[in-house]
Amino acid sequence: TNRCVVSHGCVDARALVTHNRGHRSTMHATRVTNGGDACNRASFDRKARVEWKKKPALRKRCVYVEAKANENQVNAASTAVESEGTAERTVDAKELDAKYVLQTYARAPPVFVKGKGCVLVDQEGKEYLDFASGIAVNALGHADEEWLRTVQEQAATLTHVSNLYHTVPQAELARVLVESSFGDRVFYCNSGTEANEAAIKFARKCARKKAGVDDQAEFNHPPKQSWWNWGSSNETYTDANGHPAPPTEIVAFSDGFHGRTMGALALTWKKQYRTPFQPVMPGAAFATYNDLDSARKVIRKGKTAAVFVEPVQGEGGCNPANPKFLQGLRELCDETGALLVFDEVQCGLGRTGSLWAYEPYGVTPDIMTLAKPLAGGLPIGAVLMTEQVAQAMVPGDHGTTFAGGPLICSAALSVMKRVQAPGFLEGVQKKGELLRALLREALSDHPAVESVRGSGLLVGVQMNKMVGPLVNAAREQGLLVISAGKGDVLRIVPPLVVTEEEIKRCVSVLKDCMNVL
């Protein structure tokens, strides 16, 4: 049998000693120091652990060696071993990714292992100032203490039960979302694209109800005639009772981004996203963003079920909507009976300096979609809607297995509490103004820079060149930023808890890197 010597009294460290057909399971002793104390902790090598899992007979021949030591020493040893294990696991991350992960992302080189606040650390120990926030997701930064405590407590209590049952966090989050917005009801999902898919379904179902379509009668007696000529003026359709077809068309806008699933993708502007997967959902029409005359041409009574628009575009280039544009869309929707849907997946929940991006415009939608920052980094989506929209839906019309679970909703409640705290949103506004002012001061003289725009901490720098080289150069200098638009907009979306000093550092790094353009 192998032998394991545990020295310096390591408490509760159990050394598993096995011997199987001449194979000796190598044991490694790791010296750990914490505040002058030291202890040795034994651990199996990888082969031994595999043997341990695969062959139960080995477990019967194990000898457990136990000793006693100070509890603090054990905790220090455990923490250090876990940290060492993390570093070991990430060493081959890029190789494993290349071998096993579907290559739909051109990932940057760093392999990140931890984060705190607005700082990320890679496996080499290099620190990065994170002004990408996981694509505008980490509103509270990394490892926020209050958020982490909430998640840990809920995870230890109840994680998932499905939507077949009630849970307190789900109900409480619904109350908070409704009471803080225009909405009367909320539907939970798992991402932004799912939220927009749900909104499409809700809009079309609502249009059917307005048109007097009897879905049960149609199900029992399908119509004998049906012509679907999407997007044309002569589309005709009658249900079993001879009612005219309800509106089904969805209008979206240039440079808009609503997701990558088939319905949301149909409303996404970039052709390179849509073309490889044609035909996507039929019944989509596009108008020009911030152009009300263009919108009037495609938003039509009896044809248009809903109009999807971002109050501030993110992926499209950090473009704020013109107030008259959103006000005009509200009027057009009221005139034609279409629903107005605000996609606030990226611009909502404090990102623009107000709780909801629509608030400064004085325009309220019929439906609003949310996702990215809502649960502080955990996957969530939500759809807020008026009672009129909600009344069109009945049990069985839509559903989801994972969404609205107690763990995710508890995390979201923690985020909502922080963002709604007195002074928080005012701070976002102030920091956004500082960021844009410093960027204009530092970069406006560069020939590649055309403008600095945005709202709150959703900021874009429009270039006349592709910003890829600048993104790479900044990353080399320890700053994470991303692109938007056609690749010619530098998108800057730091955590909402970013400090003024960190904003100044960001601008300083960008200024130093501008020579790559």
Side-chain angles (χ1 to χ4, degrees):
T1 14
N2 292 345
R3 309 187 89 179
C4 171
V5 179
V6 183
S7 62
H8 296 279
C10 186
V11 135
D12 291 335
R14 294 188 173 185
L16 305 177
V17 186
T18 65
H19 183 72
N20 181 44
R21 296 181 181 179
H23 172 71
R24 299 179 61 82
S25 299
T26 308
M27 307 293 292
H28 301 283
T30 304
R31 172 75 65 180
V32 181
T33 302
N34 180 25
D37 295 327
C39 67
N40 288 334
R41 183 180 179 90
S43 63
F44 275 118
D45 66 2
R46 194 168 295 172
K47 289 184 178 179
R49 295 185 190 196
V50 172
E51 289 285 318
W52 176 256
K53 290 180 179 179
K54 287 184 176 180
K55 301 182 178 180
L58 293 181
R59 295 197 283 273
K60 296 180 181 179
R61 297 197 292 272
C62 287
V63 178
Y64 290 91
V65 181
E66 298 186 310
K68 291 185 177 180
N70 183 283
E71 183 178 351
N72 291 335
Q73 289 179 318
V74 176
N75 290 338
S78 177
T79 300
V81 170
E82 288 174 3
S83 298
E84 180 182 320
T86 299
E88 180 182 349
R89 286 196 302 273
T90 57
V91 166
D92 298 325
K94 286 182 279 190
E95 180 181 341
L96 295 175
D97 181 278
K99 184 175 181 180
Y100 296 111
V101 178
L102 183 65
Q103 299 299 293
T104 56
Y105 291 93
R107 302 183 197 273
V111 177
F112 292 116
V113 295
K114 62 181 179 179
K116 183 67 177 177
C118 296
V119 176
L120 281 170
V121 182
D122 70 12
Q123 65 179 10
E124 306 299 328
K126 180 178 177 179
E127 294 188 350
Y128 298 78
L129 193 57
D130 183 9
F131 271 55
S133 301
I135 316 180
V137 167
N138 299 313
L140 303 183
H142 303 278
D144 177 79
E145 291 183 3
E146 184 179 342
W147 178 90
L148 182 60
R149 182 167 54 252
T150 298
V151 171
Q152 289 175 330
E153 290 175 357
Q154 186 60 54
T157 305
L158 184 66
T159 300
H160 175 76
V161 296
S162 86
N163 284 295
L164 298 178
Y165 311 99
H166 297 283
T167 62
V168 172
Q170 182 183 106
E172 180 63 16
L173 178 60
R175 182 189 65 80
V176 171
L177 289 171
V178 166
E179 291 183 355
S180 66
S181 73
F182 74 96
D184 297 309
R185 304 277 180 172
V186 62
F187 173 81
Y188 294 111
C189 49
N190 304 286
S191 67
T193 193
E194 284 185 51
N196 286 322
E197 292 283 347
I200 292 170
K201 291 182 69 175
F202 300 166
R204 285 187 167 172
K205 182 71 187 300
C206 190
R208 292 175 69 83
K209 184 176 181 181
K210 284 182 181 179
V213 175
D214 186 338
D215 288 303
Q216 190 60 43
E218 184 172 305
F219 177 78
N220 294 329
H221 306 283
K224 297 179 179 179
Q225 293 182 321
S226 172
W227 295 269
W228 296 94
N229 186 13
W230 294 100
S232 69
S233 59
N234 62 347
E235 177 184 316
T236 59
Y237 172 75
T238 58
D239 67 9
N241 298 317
H243 292 130
T248 57
E249 196 165 85
I250 311 292
V251 172
F253 292 91
S254 58
D255 296 319
F257 182 88
H258 300 287
R260 295 177 184 266
T261 48
M262 296 301 275
L265 183 61
L267 308 181
T268 293
W269 174 250
K270 285 186 178 179
K271 289 184 178 180
Q272 60 264 41
Y273 290 162
R274 289 185 277 120
T275 301
F277 308 103
Q278 296 283 9
V280 293
M281 179 193 75
F286 288 98
T288 303
Y289 191 71
N290 273 333
D291 186 338
L292 203 52
D293 289 335
S294 174
R296 286 193 184 97
K297 295 177 181 178
V298 294
I299 300 173
R300 295 169 290 175
K301 187 179 179 69
K303 294 284 291 182
T304 306
V307 176
F308 275 66
V309 64
E310 299 161 88
V312 183
Q313 292 183 330
E315 172 75 16
C318 308
N319 304 307
N322 183 297
K324 290 185 178 180
F325 175 65
L326 289 190
Q327 292 163 7
L329 289 181
R330 178 71 273 175
E331 292 171 2
L332 280 172
C333 288
D334 290 341
E335 291 170 6
T336 60
L339 297 181
L340 182 58
V341 181
F342 282 169
D343 180 338
E344 294 209 11
V345 167
Q346 184 162 165
C347 64
L349 199 60
R351 173 58 59 183
T352 62
S354 57
L355 185 60
W356 310 117
Y358 72 81
E359 291 177 314
Y361 293 95
V363 179
T364 56
D366 301 293
I367 298 175
M368 179 170 70
T369 57
L370 309 171
K372 286 181 180 291
L374 183 53
L378 296 180
I380 190 173
V383 186
L384 282 160
M385 69 204 78
T386 63
E387 188 65 29
Q388 179 188 33
V389 177
Q391 288 299 316
M393 303 297 291
V394 298
D397 276 349
H398 198 40
T400 170
T401 297
F402 288 106
L407 177 63
I408 300 298
C409 288
S410 292
L413 282 165
S414 179
V415 174
M416 291 294 295
K417 179 181 177 181
R418 286 286 298 282
V419 174
Q420 291 182 289
F424 188 93
L425 293 172
E426 290 81 357
V428 173
Q429 293 176 7
K430 181 180 178 182
K431 289 181 284 192
E433 291 168 359
L434 175 65
L435 175 57
R436 292 191 297 277
L438 291 178
L439 286 169
R440 291 186 181 107
E441 179 182 349
L443 307 182
S444 59
D445 290 337
H446 195 283
V449 176
E450 294 188 349
S451 65
V452 175
R453 60 174 177 258
S455 182
L457 287 171
L458 175 52
V459 177
V461 181
Q462 179 68 59
M463 306 281 188
N464 55 29
K465 296 182 178 181
M466 297 294 103
V467 300
L470 179 58
V471 170
N472 294 336
R475 186 178 63 249
E476 289 297 318
Q477 297 302 314
L479 172 67
L480 301 179
V481 287
I482 51 181
S483 64
K486 301 177 179 64
D488 56 352
V489 177
L490 187 70
R491 183 169 23 163
I492 305 172
V493 283
L496 304 186
V497 295
V498 66
T499 65
E500 292 186 1
E501 182 58 36
E502 288 168 329
I503 288 173
K504 293 174 182 178
R505 284 170 51 199
C506 165
V507 175
S508 177
V509 171
L510 289 175
K511 183 178 181 180
D512 291 342
C513 293
M514 287 298 292
N515 60 349
V516 301
L517 295 180

